[in-house]
Amino acid sequence: MDKHQNSASLVIHIDEETQTLIDRAAELAGSTLEQFLIQAATKEALAVEIEALHISVSNQTADRILQHLENPKPASLELRKAALKHRQVAHQYRTKDSR
């Protein structure tokens, strides 16, 4: 099986100084340039994803959030109207697509 069968290509343009830095770093890491770039990009992508999706709060704030989740306020009239409108629009959209 071809190792590139389920892979994608990426073309980048960088200045010579950056290219030299990356080449040196890959060599020092004992990796090919391709391996080094994939590892570095993956590491950065995971860090960005964690930063974007992870929420840190104090214990006091966490307790307040749990209190609100366990004892929610009743939905306001405006919220109930918005939910009904959303349900109607979603139903129209689904029935339009199923034709």
Side-chain angles (χ1 to χ4, degrees):
M1 182 170 141
D2 181 14
K3 73 175 187 172
H4 297 292
Q5 184 177 354
N6 293 321
S7 63
S9 295
L10 178 65
V11 176
I12 59 172
H13 300 278
I14 57 176
D15 60 79
E16 200 172 308
E17 184 178 335
T18 303
Q19 175 73 46
T20 301
L21 174 65
I22 294 171
D23 286 340
R24 261 196 333 256
E27 186 176 334
L28 290 169
S31 302
T32 66
L33 181 60
E34 182 180 66
Q35 290 169 333
F36 182 81
L37 289 172
I38 291 169
Q39 289 170 352
T42 301
K43 182 178 178 181
E44 181 66 16
L46 290 171
V48 168
E49 191 173 71
I50 288 169
E51 175 82 20
L53 300 177
H54 183 80
I55 299 172
S56 296
V57 296
S58 67
N59 287 338
Q60 180 182 8
T61 301
D63 289 342
R64 287 180 54 215
I65 291 169
L66 289 174
Q67 184 74 296
H68 286 292
L69 289 172
E70 292 171 355
N71 303 299
K73 292 181 181 177
S76 67
L77 178 60
E78 293 82 12
L79 180 58
R80 291 193 310 262
K81 285 180 181 179
L84 179 60
K85 183 177 181 179
H86 172 74
R87 190 175 304 125
Q88 291 168 341
V89 169
H91 176 72
Q92 290 171 352
Y93 182 77
R94 280 194 304 271
T95 56
K96 181 182 93 175
D97 282 351
S98 65
R99 291 181 197 163

